[in-house]
């Protein structure tokens, strides 16, 4: 509106909500109409340049002049009844509306029953500023939180159609909001700053119910699984290149001994080439599909990272046509390729769709991940659990899981390679649903993380002594991934090694989960 001098959003229809869980490109497009006073508006998003654009909203901008209503002179009005907001954002999180710290801006709420009006104080955190915004999105969003704060049950209603939206001032960090609600759920909004000067008005806003599953679902592209695929080479080169060749032998009857011998021989040949005074690359020909060839491919890929452009790795069938295109492949600069009947294909990661999702048991409120039979991940299944209904004992809390940590131990359990009997899932983060009779420092709605048995579940029961509140600003996924690595590192450094200030420690595997935790704890 500011850029086009059409400063009133005459209408905005939201077709599909945007769930922002990862970097997203937002595109706004305007098109003129036959009326110079009006512009058409569309809003699209996409997550990567390769993805198609998704349409989310359409609307119109106009040059209409809007006179803001007269604000309240007394705030809050003397006949307004205060509404308790304790636990509001924790309750909303259980329905799928999970607001981060910046967006938890509803600080006080009143109701005037005489004219079906809600009045709210909303504000940004002290660390956030409105610089660069017409109106800060978290502040505008918080102006509507009064609707969901007073809603009954689990029904979630989100904005659907906006009419007559005008911004009167910029730079606000606190708002006094008045919401007039009709019997059909349509409302009008007027917001001023703390001095009573108008900031934003909305003539009409229509809401509609939204399926909670739509809010909880992560966009599919963030959960993509990738597989190695061989794609046809589509490039071209103007000349060929000189190169040296080394053909890796195939294995004989003694597969294990031959594999050791072949990889040792290949390593020696590569080292000789790298030590020689030559710029010609070495083409290592190895079959990708047998044991020795796979070992050579792993060895050579490591060498390629240390010596770029010095080694080319090829799986070829030695067909005459394949030999003819070998110089072309070397000239292309591709480090790895497969050649069959003269056709070059390159290894590329491609997305693969997940077709068989695990289905929770229909006759159980609570479930956890298990296997129908150890030995393969194909046997993973969701089985009923009594965690949702079992009475709580001393020190116990019931938690609705929002994210769970996955460890190598869990994979070993599923594959039947872990010693003894064990259940999958050890750490998680979520919201407290219920507490035992002896617990006084936690309440339902609190966000917690820690050690949980059967953590790969929707509801778990944990010992109070193994969990802790989630720090402000942490997401559930961050909180679920932290307990085991940090407890392991802490136990090793503090309990076992009794590390003291001024001492030096060598941390092995420092780039792994426990390693990075150990480095941070040691520095601390």
């Amino acid at each position: 509106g500011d850029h086009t001098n059409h400063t009133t959003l005459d209408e905005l229809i939201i077709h599909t909500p945007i769930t922002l869980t990862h970097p997203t490109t937002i595109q706004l497009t305007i098109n003129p109409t036959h009326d110079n006073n009006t512009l058409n508006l569309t809003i699209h998003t996409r997550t990567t340049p390769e993805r198609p654009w998704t349409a989310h909203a359409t609307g119109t901008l106009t040059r209409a002049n809007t006179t803001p209503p007269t604000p309240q002179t007394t705030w809050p009005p003397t006949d307004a009844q205060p509404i308790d907001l304790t636990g509001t954002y924790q309750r909303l999180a259980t329905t799928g509306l999970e607001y981060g710290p910046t967006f938890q801006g509803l600080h006080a709420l009143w109701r005037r029953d005489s004219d079906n009006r809600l009045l709210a104080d909303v504000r940004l955190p002290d660390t956030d500023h409105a610089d660069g915004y017409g109106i800060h999105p978290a502040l505008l969003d918080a102006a509507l939180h009064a609707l969901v704060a007073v809603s009954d049950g689990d029904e979630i209603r989100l904005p659907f159609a906006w009419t007559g939206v005008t911004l009167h001032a910029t730079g606000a960090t606190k708002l006094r909001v008045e919401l007039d609600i009709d019997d059909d759920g349509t409302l009008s909004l007027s917001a001023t700053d703390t001095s009573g000067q108008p900031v934003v008005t909305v003539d009409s806003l229509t809401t509609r119910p939204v399926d909670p599953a739509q809010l909880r679902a992560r966009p599919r592209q963030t959960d993509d699984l990738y597989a190695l695929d061989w794609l046809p080479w589509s490039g071209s080169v103007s000349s060929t290149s000189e190169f040296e060749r080394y053909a890796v032998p195939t294995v004989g009857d003694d597969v294990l001994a031959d594999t050791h011998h072949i990889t040792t021989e290949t390593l020696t040949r590569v080292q000789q080439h790298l030590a020689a005074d030559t710029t010609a690359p070495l083409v290592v020909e190895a079959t990708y599909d047998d044991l020795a060839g796979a070992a050579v491919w792993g060895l050579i890929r490591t060498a390629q990272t240390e010596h770029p452009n010095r080694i080319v790795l090829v799986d070829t069938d030695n067909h005459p046509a394949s030999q003819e295109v070998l110089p072309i492949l070397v000239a292309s600069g591709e480090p790895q390729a497969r050649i069959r009947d003269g056709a070059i294909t390159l290894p590329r990661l491609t997305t693969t769709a997940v077709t068989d999702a695990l289905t929770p048991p229909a006759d159980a409120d609570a479930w956890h991940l298990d296997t129908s039979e150890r030995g393969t991940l194909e046997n993973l299944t969701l089985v009923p659990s009594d965690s949702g209904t079992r009475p709580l004992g001393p020190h116990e809390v019931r938690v609705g899981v929002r994210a769970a940590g996955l460890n190598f131990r869990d994979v070993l359990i599923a594959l039947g390679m872990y010693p003894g009997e064990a259940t999958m899932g050890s750490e998680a983060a979520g919201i407290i649903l219920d507490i035992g009779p002896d617990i006084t420092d936690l309440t339902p709605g609190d966000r917690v993380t820690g050690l949980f048995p059967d953590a790969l579940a929707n509801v778990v029961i944990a010992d109070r002594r193994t969990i802790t509140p989630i720090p402000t600003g942490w997401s559930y996924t961050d909180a679920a991934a932290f307990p085991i690595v940090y407890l392991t590192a802490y136990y090793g450094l503090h309990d076992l090694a009794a590390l003291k200030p001024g001492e030096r420690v060598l941390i092995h595997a420092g780039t792994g989960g426990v390693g990075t935790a150990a480095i941070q704890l040691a520095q601390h």
Side-chain angles (χ1 to χ4, degrees), residues 12-18 41-43 55-59 159-161 208 210 214:
L12 182 71
I13 307 297
I14 300 175
H15 307 292
T16 304
I18 306 172
L41 168 71
T42 58
I43 300 176
H56 291 277
T58 56
F160 167 60
R208 68 175 180 181
V210 173
Q214 185 178 4

Side-chain angles (χ1 to χ4, degrees), residues 12-308:
L12 182 71
I13 307 297
I14 300 175
H15 307 292
T16 304
I18 306 172
T19 303
L20 295 176
T21 59
H22 56 286
T24 302
T25 300
I26 301 179
Q27 180 191 82
L28 289 83
T29 307
I30 56 171
N31 293 296
T33 66
H34 64 280
D35 179 5
N36 291 332
N37 197 49
T38 303
L39 297 173
N40 288 329
L41 168 71
T42 58
I43 300 176
H44 293 75
T45 69
R46 67 180 180 184
T47 53
T48 65
E50 296 78 21
R51 299 281 179 180
W53 289 100
T54 299
H56 291 277
T58 56
T60 55
L61 295 164
T62 70
R63 290 194 175 105
N65 294 321
T66 303
T67 302
T70 303
Q72 295 284 347
T73 55
T74 302
W75 189 264
T78 54
D79 58 345
Q81 301 298 316
I83 296 175
D84 184 13
L85 296 177
T86 303
T88 294
Y89 284 106
Q90 290 87 345
R91 176 177 62 83
L92 294 177
T94 65
T95 66
L97 287 173
E98 298 187 26
Y99 293 100
T102 299
F103 280 78
Q104 296 183 16
L106 181 61
H107 278 253
L109 182 63
W110 301 267
R111 185 198 300 273
R112 290 179 62 175
D113 294 330
S114 59
D115 51 8
N116 202 23
R117 178 176 296 185
L118 294 175
L119 304 106
D121 271 343
V122 300
R123 66 188 67 173
L124 293 175
D126 294 337
T127 56
D128 285 72
H129 306 282
D131 300 341
Y133 297 101
I135 183 170
H136 195 290
L139 194 65
L140 179 60
D141 197 57
L144 302 175
H145 292 179
L147 297 176
V148 290
V150 299
S151 62
D152 295 328
D154 292 332
E155 183 182 67
I156 301 174
R157 300 186 69 91
L158 292 183
F160 167 60
W162 303 71
T163 303
V165 183
T166 304
L167 186 64
H168 304 281
T170 62
T173 59
K174 298 179 181 180
L175 293 179
R176 294 175 175 176
V177 182
E178 300 181 35
L179 297 170
D180 285 314
I181 307 172
D182 295 338
D183 293 336
D184 60 359
T186 303
L187 61 95
S188 62
L189 179 150
S190 174
T192 69
D193 61 19
T194 54
S195 67
Q197 297 300 310
V199 174
V200 62
T201 54
V202 180
D203 291 345
S204 175
L205 173 59
T206 302
T207 62
R208 68 175 180 181
V210 173
D211 185 355
Q214 185 178 4
L215 296 175
R216 296 191 182 100
R218 292 176 56 132
R220 192 195 68 81
Q221 56 266 29
T222 65
D223 290 332
D224 278 345
L225 296 178
Y226 292 88
L228 179 67
D229 198 2
W230 294 90
L231 303 182
W233 178 64
S234 57
S236 62
V237 295
S238 57
S239 62
T240 58
S241 299
E242 296 294 329
F243 57 92
E244 299 180 17
R245 295 177 61 178
Y246 172 68
V248 175
T250 57
V251 296
D253 295 333
D254 192 340
V255 176
L256 186 59
D258 288 347
T259 298
H260 281 290
H261 173 73
I262 289 170
T263 51
T264 302
E265 185 179 276
T266 301
L267 176 60
T268 301
R269 180 65 182 89
V270 170
Q271 290 172 332
Q272 292 171 346
H273 175 79
L274 295 174
D277 184 16
T278 178
T279 59
L282 175 66
V283 174
V284 178
E285 301 177 30
T287 302
Y288 182 80
D289 295 326
D290 72 13
L291 182 61
V296 168
W297 269 69
L299 170 67
I300 298 303
R301 279 195 293 243
T302 300
Q304 285 177 327
T305 63
E306 299 172 353
H307 302 276

Side-chain angles (χ1 to χ4, degrees), residues 202-474:
V202 180
D203 291 345
S204 175
L205 173 59
T206 302
T207 62
R208 68 175 180 181
V210 173
D211 185 355
Q214 185 178 4
L215 296 175
R216 296 191 182 100
R218 292 176 56 132
R220 192 195 68 81
Q221 56 266 29
T222 65
D223 290 332
D224 278 345
L225 296 178
Y226 292 88
L228 179 67
D229 198 2
W230 294 90
L231 303 182
W233 178 64
S234 57
S236 62
V237 295
S238 57
S239 62
T240 58
S241 299
E242 296 294 329
F243 57 92
E244 299 180 17
R245 295 177 61 178
Y246 172 68
V248 175
T250 57
V251 296
D253 295 333
D254 192 340
V255 176
L256 186 59
D258 288 347
T259 298
H260 281 290
H261 173 73
I262 289 170
T263 51
T264 302
E265 185 179 276
T266 301
L267 176 60
T268 301
R269 180 65 182 89
V270 170
Q271 290 172 332
Q272 292 171 346
H273 175 79
L274 295 174
D277 184 16
T278 178
T279 59
L282 175 66
V283 174
V284 178
E285 301 177 30
T287 302
Y288 182 80
D289 295 326
D290 72 13
L291 182 61
V296 168
W297 269 69
L299 170 67
I300 298 303
R301 279 195 293 243
T302 300
Q304 285 177 327
T305 63
E306 299 172 353
H307 302 276
N309 304 319
R310 297 292 307 277
I311 311 170
V312 179
L313 188 54
V314 180
D315 179 355
T316 178
D317 58 1
N318 289 317
H319 189 279
S322 300
Q323 299 303 310
E324 292 179 5
V325 301
L326 197 54
I328 298 175
L329 170 66
V330 175
S332 72
E334 289 287 344
Q336 303 165 35
R338 173 179 282 178
I339 306 178
R340 296 291 185 270
D341 296 330
I344 300 174
T345 56
L346 305 175
R348 295 290 187 264
L349 289 179
T350 58
T351 58
T352 177
V354 179
T355 56
D356 297 322
L358 298 181
T359 303
D363 56 347
D365 294 331
W367 46 260
H368 67 90
L369 185 68
D370 203 345
T371 60
S372 57
E373 184 178 353
R374 304 291 195 217
T376 172
L377 299 182
E378 298 298 321
N379 292 333
L380 289 174
T381 184
L382 301 180
V383 300
S385 165
D386 65 352
S387 297
T389 56
R390 177 175 71 78
L392 298 178
H395 304 299
E396 287 188 331
V397 296
R398 196 182 334 268
V399 178
V401 176
R402 291 293 177 267
L406 185 68
N407 293 278
F408 188 55
R409 172 181 179 271
D410 303 318
V411 181
L412 294 178
I413 293 172
L415 295 176
M417 300 171 63
Y418 193 80
E421 290 295 323
T423 58
M424 288 180 286
S426 305
E427 57 183 341
I431 298 175
I432 290 184
L433 304 177
D434 195 9
I435 58 175
D438 60 335
I439 296 175
T440 59
D441 58 343
L442 292 175
T443 60
D446 288 348
R447 302 167 72 241
V448 294
T449 182
L451 303 182
F452 300 84
D454 294 325
L456 301 175
N458 66 334
V459 178
V460 295
I461 293 177
D463 191 301
R464 167 63 186 92
R465 294 163 291 188
T466 68
I467 63 174
T468 188
I470 297 176
T472 301
W474 283 27

